[in-house]
Amino acid sequence: AHLSFGGRRALVTGAGKGIGRAVAVALSRAGARVTALSRTAADLESLARECPGIETLCVDLADWETVEAAVGAAGPFQLLVNNAAVAELQPFLEVTRSALQRSLDVNFGAVLHVSQIVARQMIAQGVPGAIVNVSSQASKRALKDHAVYCSTKSALDMLSKVMAMELGPHKIRVNTVNPTVVMTDMGRINWSDPQKSAAMINRIPLGKFAEVDDVVNSILFLLSDKSAMTTGSSLMIDGGFLVS
Ligand code: NDP
């Protein structure tokens, strides 16, 4: 049976492009009332045209005060997908302060902050909620030039576990999905070099990268009542990379 989210309100961050955009569309088609948050106005305008009914919020997640006001006014939500992230790959010896700061702000700080705002609203409503944080296989394995990215995703996995522990008594579940490479804009920027991608694919037992839909399906599962007893877990979408 198809998953249905009728009557639920969902917030998806980083919904202008890639995985977040596909999640927003899928949730909307499954009956949820979706608010899509992203940074580039043109992306949100085209999303709203593609999928009438989706509401949009154009904010930079690194801007704490603006996020507080915008997300606070847009809620309450019962479903949250913290999907936005940046991947600025640099050799460890060349990591810059600005890349570090942006990555910490968006990949980690904004997840904490948006989740606080949304979870407070969930608790005030007194209804169950589900949060999915989009992590990566990179949270569990060291990858060359990924010092900052791997570390922020690792921190995100641990944050998700503590959130699951503290929010469980309020009937709010928190899980992560951890995909391997997906050929979105982010994937293409970092994995278009055929030698580099072949080396990664060779380490994946299923012998391929993930598709956007593979990630969308797992996120929808973890948002739905089909995963009602699952919280604090990380669902690998890595074709077996981690066990290889
Ligand atoms: P994309 O770069 O294709 O899309 C990311 C989206 O997030 C964009 O719409 C972007 O907006 C938005 N975003 C980024 N920074 C901010 C910000 N400060 N404020 C608001 N919105 C922001 O990425 P993917 O779809 O590939 O990635 C989605 C998630 O999946 C990320 O968490 C990523 O780490 C994770 N992931 C991706 C993998 C891959 O290979 N692609 C593999 C494993 C995990 P804008 O373009 O306007 O900046």
Side-chain angles (χ1 to χ4, degrees):
H2 277 294
L3 299 173
S4 171
F5 295 94
R8 314 260 181 103
R9 295 201 58 207
L11 175 65
V12 183
T13 73
K17 301 185 171 76
I19 293 165
R21 184 178 179 114
V23 168
V25 171
L27 278 172
S28 178
R29 296 203 169 132
R33 251 183 78 196
V34 176
T35 299
L37 183 156
S38 200
R39 186 164 53 170
T40 302
D43 289 341
L44 292 172
E45 284 156 20
S46 85
L47 175 60
R49 273 196 305 275
E50 179 188 336
C51 208
I54 288 188
E55 290 161 42
T56 62
L57 279 183
C58 193
V59 296
D60 184 334
L61 285 165
D63 181 347
W64 195 274
E65 284 75 25
T66 306
V67 166
E68 184 101 37
V71 175
F77 301 98
Q78 298 82 45
L79 309 171
L80 168 63
V81 182
N82 287 301
N83 161 82
V86 292
E88 298 185 54
L89 306 192
Q90 296 169 325
F92 168 70
L93 292 175
E94 291 162 31
V95 169
T96 58
R97 184 174 180 180
S98 63
L100 173 61
Q101 199 56 59
R102 250 190 316 276
S103 303
L104 286 171
D105 281 350
V106 180
N107 302 8
F108 180 72
V111 177
L112 187 151
H113 187 219
V114 171
S115 299
Q116 281 182 324
I117 301 166
V118 171
R120 285 185 192 125
Q121 296 171 342
M122 288 171 175
I123 294 166
Q125 293 175 85
V127 298
I131 300 174
V132 175
N133 295 330
V134 182
S135 182
S136 168
Q137 67 179 11
S139 73
K140 314 245 183 234
R141 273 286 185 93
L143 299 174
K144 193 169 157 291
D145 301 334
H146 282 67
V148 169
Y149 186 79
C150 281
S151 304
T152 58
K153 291 298 191 182
S154 221
L156 176 59
D157 285 1
M158 183 48 84
L159 173 67
S160 307
K161 292 188 207 182
V162 178
M163 284 169 57
M165 186 181 224
E166 294 194 20
L167 298 177
H170 299 287
K171 299 191 169 41
I172 300 170
R173 297 184 300 109
V174 186
N175 293 287
T176 73
V177 292
N178 299 58
T180 184
V181 176
V182 188
M183 279 303 181
T184 58
D185 285 4
M186 180 189 286
R188 277 187 288 272
I189 288 166
N190 294 315
W191 296 94
S192 283
D193 171 10
Q195 252 181 321
K196 183 178 170 186
S197 66
M200 174 57 78
I201 288 171
N202 284 336
R203 294 168 65 189
I204 299 175
L206 291 183
K208 58 183 181 183
F209 289 155
E211 299 295 331
V212 169
D213 275 350
D214 296 324
V215 185
V216 171
N217 289 335
S218 292
I219 292 173
L220 264 59
F221 167 69
L222 288 172
L223 289 174
S224 79
D225 298 338
K226 301 285 183 199
S227 61
M229 196 55 190
T230 301
T231 194
S233 75
S234 288
L235 180 52
M236 303 308 300
I237 313 170
D238 68 344
F241 175 71
L242 214 64
V243 297
S244 72

